Amino acid sequence: MLEVRNIESGYGRTKVLHGVSFSVSDGALVAVLGGNGSGKSTTLKTLAGLVRPSAGEITLAGQRIDQVPACRMASSGLVLVPQGKEVFAAMSVEENILMGGYHRRREKARLRDDLQQVYALFPRLALRRKALAGLLSGGERQMLAIGRALLARPRMLLLDEPSSALAPKVVGEIAEVIRGLRGRGISILLVEQNVAMALELADELHILREGRVAHSCVNGPGVDLASLQEFYLGKGTR
Ligand SMILES: Nc1ncnc2c1ncn2[C@@H]1O[C@H](COP(=O)(O)OP(=O)(O)OP(=O)(O)O)[C@@H](O)[C@H]1O
Ligand SMILES: [Mg+2]
């Protein structure tokens, strides 16, 4: 279980998150929605240790992780797939995937198995294993970024807008992969602006507005785009 309690965080003197709280149960898929600049990426960066919270607590399986340096976070089981499909452009697809398992580099046989699993999940990456990552399409780069994260064997995967700037068919493929990962027992925190995708995949939804959780709900009948709209637009309150 990931628990986020009242985190405040930002950049220098600029505070972006003003007391954000939510949790992700083991094996659950929780979505965080919100408009541009609402603090979604800052939330994920804070969880991943890239931005230090100035207040609040973050625990994973009961252990505090808010002081763990970003470079050790993967060993704690929490892995971020950053926004923007960032990959190492000058390295091959396979080298990029293997970078995700760098902290496990002594487990050579298991890494080879995990690499094959990534290729089974994303056959297109297998076809392009020797290609430079910088030459991949947007969809392929998103698959690569997810594949690289899987080499760390995460128990908690943070996905920052995996559907952005992708064709609907590719969004569908990515959604299927996310559903499959969740089926394998990986807990997922999905940040999205694609509300339809979040409604299709998530157990729970939280809407961020100006660095605060404006609304939280369990996904189910009656929860739809229209019912969430007011919280986006600022009319609703928690
Ligand atoms: N590195 C940074 N330095 C200073 N301010 C930043 C930095 N990154 C983000 N911000 C500011 O923090 C606020 C929240 O940004 P954040 O990236 O968390 O939003 P977001 O919800 O992820 O938006 P988007 O949907 O556009 O990705 C914005 O006002 C942004 O300008
Ligand atoms: Mg963002």
Side-chain angles (χ1 to χ4, degrees):
M1 168 109 140
L2 173 74
E3 282 193 88
V4 180
R5 280 186 226 102
N6 268 316
I7 50 165
E8 296 179 17
S9 138
Y11 308 92
R13 278 193 219 148
T14 313
K15 201 190 267 187
V16 174
L17 303 182
H18 308 275
V20 168
S21 302
F22 60 86
S23 61
V24 183
S25 305
D26 289 342
L29 198 155
V30 172
V32 172
L33 303 166
N36 292 120
S38 56
K40 302 181 301 298
S41 294
T42 304
T43 301
L44 295 193
K45 285 190 266 180
T46 306
L47 292 174
L50 294 165
V51 174
R52 236 349 110 222
S54 52
E57 280 185 14
I58 305 166
T59 59
L60 182 65
Q63 305 280 324
R64 286 283 290 264
I65 58 164
D66 43 84
Q67 300 304 320
V68 173
C71 59
R72 300 237 182 85
M73 207 51 94
S75 309
S76 307
L78 183 144
V79 179
L80 169 66
V81 179
Q83 189 168 7
K85 313 168 185 64
E86 285 169 24
V87 295
F88 301 104
M91 291 166 67
S92 73
V93 165
E94 186 151 305
E95 286 165 342
N96 264 273
I97 299 172
L98 289 170
M99 282 300 283
Y102 185 74
H103 62 290
R104 304 171 50 211
R105 59 195 175 281
R106 288 188 193 88
E107 308 170 22
K108 286 207 164 59
R110 290 174 57 164
L111 280 176
R112 285 282 141 198
D113 288 348
D114 290 354
L115 179 67
Q116 293 313 318
Q117 280 196 30
V118 170
Y119 286 146
L121 198 59
F122 299 114
R124 261 196 272 176
L125 295 183
L127 292 173
R128 309 212 60 191
R129 66 210 298 163
K130 301 286 177 216
L132 286 183
L135 301 177
L136 297 181
S137 71
E140 290 166 342
R141 264 186 292 137
Q142 186 62 65
M143 291 169 191
L144 180 54
I146 295 174
R148 184 180 57 195
L150 293 179
L151 262 264
R153 292 212 170 176
R155 56 180 157 163
M156 180 78 234
L157 189 62
L158 315 180
L159 299 168
D160 198 345
E161 297 201 34
S163 81
S164 83
L166 299 181
K169 181 171 174 284
V170 185
V171 172
E173 286 174 35
I174 298 278
E176 271 319 300
V177 165
I178 294 172
R179 203 194 302 277
L181 295 176
R182 188 266 175 88
R184 277 160 50 177
I186 301 176
S187 313
I188 295 173
L189 182 58
L190 171 68
V191 156
E192 262 305 334
Q193 296 223 38
N194 182 335
V195 180
M197 183 184 185
L199 285 170
E200 190 190 315
L201 293 173
D203 306 306
E204 284 172 44
L205 304 151
H206 302 282
I207 297 184
L208 266 191
R209 200 174 64 223
E210 295 172 11
R212 292 184 170 85
V213 179
H215 180 64
S216 301
C217 62
V218 172
N219 194 8
V223 180
D224 56 19
L225 183 57
S227 71
L228 298 175
Q229 201 91 355
E230 60 182 310
F231 299 101
Y232 262 98
L233 298 175
K235 288 184 234 144
T237 52
R238 196 181 168 102

